[in-house]
Amino acid sequence: MNETNHSRVTEFVLLGLSSSQDLQPFLFFVFSLLYLAILLGNFLIILTVTSDSRLHTPMYFLLANLSFIDICVAFFATPKMIADFLVEQKTISFEACLAQIFSVYLFAGGEMVILVSMAYDHYVAICKPLHYTTIMSRRVCITLVLIPWGVGFIHTTSQLAFTVNLPFCGPNQVDSFFCDLPLVTTLACIDTYVISLLIVLDSGFLSLSSFLLLVVSYTVILITVRSRSSASMAKARSTLTAHITVVTLFFGPCIFIYVWPFSGYSVDKVLAVFYTIFTPILNPVIYTLRNKELKVAMAKLKSRYLKSGQVSAVIRNIPFLEMK
Ligand SMILES: *[C@@H]1O[C@H](CO)[C@@H](O)[C@H](O)[C@H]1NC(C)=O
């Protein structure tokens, strides 16, 4: 990275979520709790799915992988944001800033595509139930897990390629709680209009095409479900509602940001909280509350650990597990 040598900026200053000093302790408290909930909820899903052999099906493997990506999405910026509530001068080194840019597009891209993988799994389960086990072989399942990471990696590499060589020679204030690429590019001391446009098109293309794929598959699924009315379809419908809620919450803010990319950046900052914090917290909540099988497996997990007495103290304090 020779290019960084003749640029004068070695660190960026993050303005954070709120400029109000009085609010910082409160935000520190709230976001610490949210972050803890993200970790507990998602680890619990992974633990439940991996420890119960009846949940070793493509649907739950994909769900556990979604939880893993959720943990990653929450990890790249949130701990730093929380720590930053306690300091007045919120700085981040140039390298850490690049690492955040790399992470956000890798994980957010991966999250978008794994939602498409999950929609495909639903599509096969509901529209081709008789062929489900042949279509969703172990190999297909692993492919459905690997594609999101591959797409995320290509996506983030292409985004980063625009950025690493940008000259930064003065302004270094980023009005957000992490190094948001569209904001960082505006600080470069060359005209970045074309680069900004490419960045927006790149992300816009990925989010819009994932979104369209999701809309198409859910439309097909909904049409299929409507024409049947057995009890198993009621279950399918409840899973589907959960899934559509998650998709709307994740894509809503993303598409809003990229359709109005050059609008108010403080709006973007609030929307970024949605996909970095609210989505990772809502996935486990939505899936556990509406999923009977998962609840049963968690109850079993609870009694098993309580009997062995090992982590009983920890498990007893997890509200998700408190069910009749
Ligand atoms: C992700 O999916 C793969 C393939 O189905 C599975 O083997 C793995 O256990 C899953 N990962 C997690 C964290 O559950």
Side-chain angles (χ1 to χ4, degrees):
M1 255 187 245
N2 289 330
E3 296 293 326
T4 52
N5 285 346
H6 55 80
S7 64
R8 283 195 288 130
V9 170
T10 56
E11 61 178 22
F12 291 96
V13 176
L14 301 173
L15 296 186
L17 205 53
S18 158
S19 53
S20 156
Q21 277 309 311
D22 303 338
L23 267 181
Q24 308 287 318
F26 172 72
L27 291 175
F28 174 81
F29 181 69
V30 169
F31 281 96
S32 300
L33 282 185
L34 289 176
Y35 188 58
L36 200 67
I38 292 174
L39 293 183
L40 280 180
N42 286 295
F43 273 123
L44 194 58
I45 287 189
I46 295 176
L47 184 69
T48 311
V49 171
T50 45
S51 64
D52 192 326
S53 58
R54 278 185 316 168
L55 298 184
H56 288 181
T57 65
M59 179 186 148
Y60 289 105
F61 276 141
L62 286 169
L63 180 60
N65 278 276
L66 174 70
S67 280
F68 180 69
I69 297 187
D70 275 339
I71 292 171
C72 297
V73 166
F75 177 72
F76 83 93
T78 315
K80 163 122 180 86
M81 173 180 88
I82 292 170
D84 275 349
F85 285 131
L86 300 178
V87 293
E88 230 167 284
Q89 187 75 349
K90 313 171 203 309
T91 56
I92 181 166
S93 73
F94 187 82
E95 290 74 21
C97 187
L98 284 186
Q100 281 197 336
I101 293 170
F102 180 82
S103 311
V104 69
Y105 290 107
L106 174 65
F107 300 141
E111 171 128 11
M112 284 182 189
V113 182
I114 203 165
L115 291 174
V116 178
S117 292
M118 294 173 81
Y120 177 73
D121 173 68
H122 276 120
Y123 163 78
V124 178
I126 293 170
C127 301
K128 302 195 185 311
L130 298 179
H131 304 288
Y132 185 77
T133 40
T134 31
I135 297 178
M136 295 300 278
S137 62
R138 176 114 193 106
R139 227 181 58 210
V140 171
C141 186
I142 291 174
T143 312
L144 286 178
V145 169
L146 289 182
I147 288 176
W149 288 104
V151 172
F153 187 76
I154 295 169
H155 179 53
T156 193
T157 316
S158 63
Q159 294 287 57
L160 216 55
F162 300 131
T163 332
V164 275
N165 290 333
L166 284 178
F168 295 97
C169 50
N172 68 346
Q173 288 199 332
V174 181
D175 184 15
S176 188
F177 58 91
F178 70 104
C179 275
D180 204 359
L181 185 54
L183 297 177
V184 173
T185 41
T186 58
L187 301 176
C189 31
I190 52 167
D191 179 22
T192 54
Y193 184 80
V194 176
I195 292 181
S196 302
L197 202 64
L198 285 175
I199 288 170
V200 165
L201 286 179
D202 195 347
S203 295
F205 174 74
L206 182 61
S207 42
L208 271 181
S209 46
S210 313
F211 187 67
L212 285 181
L213 278 174
L214 287 171
V215 169
V216 169
S217 46
Y218 284 129
T219 312
V220 174
I221 295 172
L222 282 176
I223 291 171
T224 314
V225 171
R226 268 181 57 140
S227 60
R228 304 178 197 171
S229 57
S230 64
S232 67
M233 282 304 125
K235 195 182 135 210
R237 224 172 282 147
S238 116
T239 322
L240 218 56
T241 321
H243 214 119
I244 292 172
T245 314
V246 171
V247 165
T248 318
L249 281 171
F250 187 73
F251 280 91
C254 286
I255 288 176
F256 185 85
I257 288 174
Y258 289 114
V259 173
W260 289 276
F262 303 107
S263 62
Y265 280 126
S266 43
V267 178
D268 291 4
K269 181 160 72 177
V270 175
L271 288 177
V273 174
F274 261 86
Y275 65 81
T276 56
I277 293 161
F278 290 150
T279 313
I281 210 171
L282 279 176
N283 281 349
V285 173
I286 290 174
Y287 283 106
T288 11
L289 289 185
R290 303 183 123 263
N291 190 311
K292 196 97 166 264
E293 276 172 328
L294 210 55
K295 277 191 193 174
V296 170
M298 283 183 179
K300 260 178 39 194
L301 191 70
K302 179 183 174 182
S303 57
R304 200 173 83 198
Y305 278 112
L306 283 184
K307 232 174 273 161
S308 73
Q310 283 169 337
V311 274
S312 54
V314 182
I315 298 284
R316 218 175 277 135
N317 291 327
I318 299 173
F320 288 113
L321 288 176
E322 294 308 326
M323 61 199 85
K324 289 195 63 196

